[in-house]
Amino acid sequence: MIAIGNFFFKYRNWIFILFYAALFIPSPPLFSEERFGEHHYIWPIVLGLLITVSGQLIRGATIGLAYIVRGGSEGKPYAEGLVTDGIFNHCRNPLYVGNILMLLGVGILANSLFYVVIIIPAFLFIYQAIVLAEEHFLRGKFGAGFDAYCKKVNRWIPDLRGIDKTFGSMSFNWRRWILKEYNTQFVWLSGITLILLLKYPHITDYDTHYRNTLIVVILSILLLMYLLIRYLKKSGKVKE
């Protein structure tokens, strides 16, 4: 698993995007009219948005409170230090948990049985392998300190005890959240927009022209925001 994790670690930034694109693979519905009635579409919309927004909130809280300086050096795990503050005091891999919830949520939002039953388990397997590879590296670098952290904090399931103290004792870095997350936000919000407007004609009262106009307007606004934030970041006019 560690070898598998090291392999996928090199391409982890592309994994999320590729799995996101799989949302548009044709699939039998999770919620059908036959089983859930005339308003069956309400179930995937409400559940999907609730779960995917929860994932984004977890990512946002993690990055805004105590961002972990951990990434890849020459395609291998790398860490400057062992970060245990913020959301990392409640879960060892909150960013990955956020990603999983975001993808599960949009899979439900897309009302895709194939995505939830096939794609999500594959995603979980890959992330488990990546985490085991990262933990192998961290254990080798930080030794007993990392082992003590593992005994205290769960790998996947967040422990919310004391979460109020965590938020009360730290300030949220909005600039860091925006600069670190604008790529993810653009892909995520664009996908949600397309799923809602293409999958659920009920939203636009089956008016194709109105639907297409909304798609163009919303995606254009998202693109302009993306380009603006990218410019401000690359030019150094806005810093963390």
Side-chain angles (χ1 to χ4, degrees), residues 5 11 25 48 83 92 136 145 159 164 205 218 237:
Y11 310 103
I25 297 175
V83 178
R92 301 209 303 264
H136 177 73
D159 184 349
D164 55 333
D205 199 23
I218 295 174
K237 293 184 178 181

Side-chain angles (χ1 to χ4, degrees), residues 19-20 22-31 43-45 47-49 51-52 100-125 195 199-200:
F19 275 78
Y20 209 72
L23 286 165
F24 300 95
I25 297 175
S27 165
L30 269 173
F31 301 91
W43 288 95
I45 292 176
L47 290 176
L49 287 177
I51 293 173
T52 193
I100 291 168
L101 290 176
M102 286 171 68
L103 283 182
L104 175 60
V106 292
I108 294 173
L109 180 64
N111 201 16
S112 174
L113 180 65
F114 170 79
Y115 199 86
V116 173
V117 174
I118 303 298
I119 299 298
I120 290 299
F123 188 68
L124 291 175
F125 171 80
I195 291 172
K199 192 79 175 181
Y200 302 101

Side-chain angles (χ1 to χ4, degrees), residues 12-236:
R12 69 196 185 283
N13 292 331
W14 289 99
I15 289 173
F16 185 82
I17 296 176
L18 291 176
F19 275 78
Y20 209 72
L23 286 165
F24 300 95
I25 297 175
S27 165
L30 269 173
F31 301 91
S32 63
E33 185 173 357
E34 292 76 16
R35 294 184 61 188
F36 291 88
E38 180 182 357
H39 301 291
H40 64 284
Y41 56 88
I42 294 177
W43 288 95
I45 292 176
V46 173
L47 290 176
L49 287 177
L50 180 63
I51 293 173
T52 193
V53 169
S54 297
Q56 182 53 236
L57 289 176
I58 291 174
R59 283 187 59 87
T62 302
I63 294 171
L65 291 180
Y67 185 66
I68 190 168
V69 184
R70 184 189 302 172
S73 178
E74 298 180 354
K76 299 179 180 180
Y78 166 80
E80 292 184 0
L82 185 60
V83 178
T84 61
D85 296 329
I87 305 302
F88 291 98
N89 189 42
H90 302 274
C91 178
R92 301 209 303 264
N93 299 284
L95 292 174
Y96 289 162
V97 171
N99 285 348
I100 291 168
L101 290 176
M102 286 171 68
L103 283 182
L104 175 60
V106 292
I108 294 173
L109 180 64
N111 201 16
S112 174
L113 180 65
F114 170 79
Y115 199 86
V116 173
V117 174
I118 303 298
I119 299 298
I120 290 299
F123 188 68
L124 291 175
F125 171 80
I126 290 174
Y127 260 23
Q128 175 72 0
I130 290 175
V131 165
L132 290 177
E134 289 182 342
E135 289 185 351
H136 177 73
F137 165 80
L138 293 172
R139 186 166 286 107
K141 182 169 184 176
F142 300 108
F146 181 70
D147 286 333
Y149 173 60
C150 290
K151 291 180 180 179
K152 177 184 175 183
V153 180
N154 296 332
R155 175 185 288 156
W156 290 113
I157 307 299
D159 184 349
L160 299 182
R161 289 176 296 180
I163 192 71
D164 55 333
K165 294 182 180 179
T166 297
F167 280 99
S169 63
M170 304 182 74
S171 59
F172 190 85
N173 189 328
W174 289 96
R175 290 187 177 184
R176 180 168 63 207
W177 173 68
I178 292 173
L179 295 178
K180 295 291 185 183
E181 279 289 88
Y182 75 99
N183 279 307
T184 300
Q185 289 286 346
F186 175 70
V187 173
W188 179 61
L189 291 174
S190 296
I192 289 177
T193 298
L194 291 174
I195 291 172
L196 285 174
L197 294 178
L198 294 177
K199 192 79 175 181
Y200 302 101
H202 324 77
I203 294 176
T204 53
D205 199 23
Y206 295 88
D207 188 332
T208 304
H209 178 71
Y210 178 45
R211 180 201 67 187
N212 293 341
T213 300
L214 277 179
I215 290 176
V216 171
V217 171
I218 295 174
L219 292 185
S220 296
I221 292 174
L222 291 176
L223 179 60
L224 288 174
M225 293 178 62
Y226 169 84
L227 293 174
L228 175 61
I229 296 172
R230 181 178 175 82
Y231 165 73
L232 293 174
K233 178 181 180 179
K234 297 299 182 180
S235 65

